[in-house]
Amino acid sequence: MTQGGAVVTIGDVARLAGVSRSTVSYALSGKRAISDQARGRVEAAVRELGYTPNAGARALATSQTMVIGLLARFLEDEFAPAMLQYMLGVSNTARELGYDLLLSTEEDGTRALRRMSDSRMVDGVVLLNVADEDDRLPVLRAAPQPGALVGLPGDCTGVDVFDLDFEEAGRLMVDHLVRLGHRELILVSQPEHVVERGGAYVWRLQNAAREAARARGVVLHAAFGSSRQPEIGRDLTGLLDTYPDATGLILNNEAAAAALPSVLHERGLSAPRDLSVIGRYSEEFASTFSLHYSAVESAPDRLGRMAVRQLVRRIEGEISPDDPYVVRFVSPELVDRGSTGTPPA
């Protein structure tokens, strides 16, 4: 672990081998496949330097913990299974890159973030449940560790941001139904509490859908729905009763998507025969809840992967501190599962 009295670090091995520190970590941990050539260079450097991996010594010598902090909360006004998918996307990618994950679901996110940062428990932080005016962001910007967000805040200064293009998703959903001939639509969004606490993704999709409907001369009834049963079932039933002439249903609410099959069954309806349906959720979510509705892919795995990979590049110095921070959107993709068609005659 020492050479000439100096501590040999994973960075020394990486420099001698001509690879990144993450590649050295993969070679030593076996957590991710690398080329035989790269592995050979790492093993040769390890032998030459006499390097022995040791977590405590590594942290002291490099100021790295090989741990990423994840701040996420299971909020009552959001559907927990959907949030879990974003958390898994982050944790799986961190593991693939040789990092452990320190998860905090503490309600006081600023306190949790200060504790992680001040104690140097983590090398970087990923934030979920991002609000438009998120009180954790000033703390993260002031922290010595870099940060990445899954979700778009009002001010993206000092952090890398990754999110679904919710505006384009709203336009895409409306346009798809309009092309099929629908003239009256219902949009069910997340609970209004999500908007009140700054959940910008709700109004981003809702506003874009309204604008698209107005531009195309169709009627769009925008409503908020609950995040749990049985309330969301009653919400959906009430909307179908209130707007009996609507022939298209757009769901920006995972709980509503999960509840809809029962609601339609109780009313003797089916999609697309009686009602065309488009949701916004992931392929895995659709599989978990046996949903056969067409949907815009919410891409939690991809967004988590993008955020963690960018964060690790900053942690390991592959991105210069002077390089600008990025805001990147995943373009919406409509997965057709056959739940939309022409309006009933």
Side-chain angles (χ1 to χ4, degrees), residues 36 43 56 74 110-111 163 193 201 216 222 248 326:
D36 291 340
E43 291 174 349
F74 289 103
T110 57
R111 183 173 64 181
D163 205 2
H193 292 134
Y201 69 96
R216 288 145 185 79
V326 301

Side-chain angles (χ1 to χ4, degrees), residues 137-186:
L137 284 179
V139 179
L140 184 56
R141 292 188 186 105
Q145 302 92 341
L149 279 57
V150 177
L152 179 69
D155 181 2
C156 300
T157 304
V159 288
D160 293 308
V161 176
F162 303 88
D163 205 2
L164 178 69
D165 189 336
F166 281 90
E167 288 90 347
E168 185 58 29
R171 290 188 288 267
L172 174 64
M173 297 161 99
V174 170
D175 287 347
H176 178 75
L177 292 173
V178 170
R179 282 195 298 269
L180 291 170
H182 295 271
R183 308 302 298 173
E184 186 171 348
L185 313 173
I186 301 172

Side-chain angles (χ1 to χ4, degrees), residues 98-227:
Y99 285 75
D100 292 318
L101 196 74
L102 177 59
L103 170 65
S104 173
T105 59
E106 187 175 336
E107 185 174 352
D108 188 342
T110 57
R111 183 173 64 181
L113 182 53
R114 285 194 183 95
R115 186 170 62 250
M116 281 186 186
S117 173
D118 293 348
S119 63
R120 304 298 178 103
M121 290 190 290
V122 299
D123 297 328
V125 179
V126 175
L127 298 188
L128 301 181
N129 309 102
V130 176
D132 188 56
E133 296 182 10
D134 201 302
D135 59 3
R136 298 170 297 179
L137 284 179
V139 179
L140 184 56
R141 292 188 186 105
Q145 302 92 341
L149 279 57
V150 177
L152 179 69
D155 181 2
C156 300
T157 304
V159 288
D160 293 308
V161 176
F162 303 88
D163 205 2
L164 178 69
D165 189 336
F166 281 90
E167 288 90 347
E168 185 58 29
R171 290 188 288 267
L172 174 64
M173 297 161 99
V174 170
D175 287 347
H176 178 75
L177 292 173
V178 170
R179 282 195 298 269
L180 291 170
H182 295 271
R183 308 302 298 173
E184 186 171 348
L185 313 173
I186 301 172
L187 167 62
V188 183
S189 297
Q190 301 282 352
E192 196 163 10
H193 292 134
V194 177
V195 174
E196 292 170 353
R197 65 174 172 78
Y201 69 96
V202 177
W203 70 70
R204 285 164 55 201
L205 189 148
Q206 186 182 82
N207 290 348
R210 279 174 160 162
E211 291 172 5
R214 187 162 48 248
R216 288 145 185 79
V218 302
V219 175
L220 177 72
H221 306 289
F224 299 104
S226 177
S227 62

